[in-house]
Amino acid sequence: MSAQVDTEVIVVGAGVVGLATARALAQLGRDVIVLERHAIGHDGASSHGRSRMFRFSYPEQLWVQRAQEALPLWRALEAEAGEPLLKSTGSLDLGAVEGQRAALAACGARFELLNGGEVGSRWPITVTGGVPALFQPDGGMLRADAVVQALLASATSAGARVLEETAADAIESDPAGVRVGDLRAGVAVVAAGAWTPSLVALDAQPTRETSTYLSLVGEGEELPVVIDTTTTSQTGFEAYGVVSPGEGLKAGLHGSGQPADPDERGDPDEVIVAQTAAWATRRFRDASPEVLRAETCLYTNIADERFVVERRGRIVVGSACSGHGFKFAPLVGAQLAALAVETL
Ligand SMILES: Cc1cc2nc3c(=O)[nH]c(=O)nc-3n(C[C@H](O)[C@H](O)[C@H](O)COP(=O)(O)OP(=O)(O)OC[C@H]3O[C@@H](n4cnc5c(N)ncnc54)[C@H](O)[C@@H]3O)c2cc1C
């Protein structure tokens, strides 16, 4: 960046949250520039890959309600993109289901309690030993890479300018506005994922998580996304599985990663890969025990899996992660955009 450029809003970071924010701002008619220090869709942050889980099923009403609010926003993005982005095959909780049952009921969401036989007759999923199961039909699989491209296309067609390979090294702010390098704006939105604490004060701990991919017999077309808390007694972590379209099954142990410096590339944890593969082949009858590949992805952990969506003078901070932020991106993007506009 050489000459000074003025805009209304600078968004730092073009992961799913930054792009959703830029889209919302541009659709409000605001002039917005997004800075992304790598290429869109790069695999060194938190939004890459083919799939993420979408689910209403949480033990806290707050998250159920947020997912309910996010669902129509996903459908609107889908309609605009003209392609399917959220496949609603439902979500299946195994093990601890009482909190989810109560929260879903309080929020008026649909669900069914199933036994192992009922689960096994609906899907190629094995549940034995009286483990409780809760099926919620609005859950499903978000096509993560397609979502990122759809948000980018929507944001740019509404007028947002996206500068790839362009880092924000620091943000200076005063009562009149912000400066990022040679760029000046009325407000900056920091949506830099695991790098947010390097730009603004934030009590967050990045961890490097391991995702494991197994092949499936067939496409897993009808498989719900699965969260299984029964693994916590053996591994210390709940397990999850979600179809990775065209590839097989993506599985992991939620929150099992180690604290990490996001600037250092790390390798998958082989112990976690082995534990995940053992769980997935036990639960998913169509999963092959052979691991196709494993990759890492960053969580930005904040206490209580909370999101930070707040305004600090001329800077708006959006750290919507703690390992479960993708599903809420259009909602959080709209909230961050509203905070930014309030500041102008
Ligand atoms: C293994 C794994 C599984 C997950 N599963 C789910 C799931 O099933 N469902 C769900 O809802 N969520 C899930 N999540 C969480 C979800 O993916 C994240 O919450 C979400 O992707 C965070 O997006 P973000 O835009 O905040 O961050 P990021 O995607 O990390 O984007 C931040 C961007 O900012 C850029 N950047 C950083 N610093 C700068 C700078 N100084 N200047 C310019 N650019 C900068 C980075 O390069 C990056 O592209 C999962 C996460 C992981 C790791």
Side-chain angles (χ1 to χ4, degrees), residues 13 17 36-37 42 45-47 52-53 168 297 320 324-327:
V17 174
E36 167 52 55
R37 71 171 179 182
H42 73 94
S46 302
S47 300
R52 291 291 186 281
M53 290 183 287
C297 179
H324 69 134
F326 204 100
K327 67 180 75 59

Side-chain angles (χ1 to χ4, degrees), residues 17-244:
V17 174
L19 288 173
T21 307
R23 170 179 179 250
L25 284 161
Q27 289 183 341
L28 290 170
R30 296 299 182 166
D31 194 40
V32 52
I33 294 180
V34 185
L35 306 180
E36 167 52 55
R37 71 171 179 182
H38 297 303
I40 306 282
H42 73 94
D43 67 359
S46 302
S47 300
H48 55 286
R50 297 188 192 181
S51 64
R52 291 291 186 281
M53 290 183 287
F54 178 82
R55 60 194 165 97
F56 278 10
S57 188
Y58 274 88
E60 300 89 7
Q61 289 180 41
L62 169 76
W63 299 118
V64 179
Q65 286 159 354
R66 286 196 177 166
Q68 288 174 314
E69 289 170 47
L71 180 56
L73 304 182
W74 285 117
R75 295 300 179 214
L77 178 65
E78 234 171 8
E80 191 186 334
E83 61 169 330
L85 297 174
L86 170 58
K87 189 167 184 197
S88 298
T89 50
S91 66
L92 187 67
D93 287 276
L94 302 175
V97 301
E98 182 46 36
Q100 286 85 335
R101 187 202 62 71
L104 289 165
C107 295
R110 305 172 289 171
F111 64 88
E112 285 176 85
L113 295 172
L114 303 175
N115 62 36
E118 289 166 328
V119 171
S121 64
R122 287 196 199 183
W123 307 283
I125 294 175
T126 303
V127 178
T128 55
V131 169
L134 183 150
F135 176 66
Q136 203 294 316
D138 296 293
M141 184 267 293
L142 282 161
R143 295 176 187 273
D145 48 6
V147 163
V148 167
Q149 292 305 321
L151 289 171
L152 174 65
S154 175
T156 53
S157 76
R161 288 171 282 170
V162 180
L163 307 182
E164 295 179 77
E165 312 293 346
T166 306
D169 294 325
I171 303 170
E172 293 166 44
S173 80
D174 60 39
V178 294
R179 181 185 289 277
V180 180
D182 288 331
L183 278 177
R184 271 203 68 85
V187 58
V189 179
V190 183
W195 290 267
T196 301
S198 67
L199 290 166
V200 293
L202 184 69
D203 191 10
Q205 174 62 64
T207 54
R208 186 171 299 285
E209 306 289 329
T210 295
S211 306
T212 302
Y213 292 80
L214 304 167
S215 62
L216 279 175
V217 177
E219 295 287 313
E221 280 285 310
E222 304 308 323
L223 279 179
V225 299
V226 175
I227 293 205
D228 184 349
T229 57
T230 65
T231 51
T232 49
S233 55
Q234 305 113 43
T235 66
F237 307 99
E238 63 189 40
Y240 66 84
V242 53
V243 167
S244 180

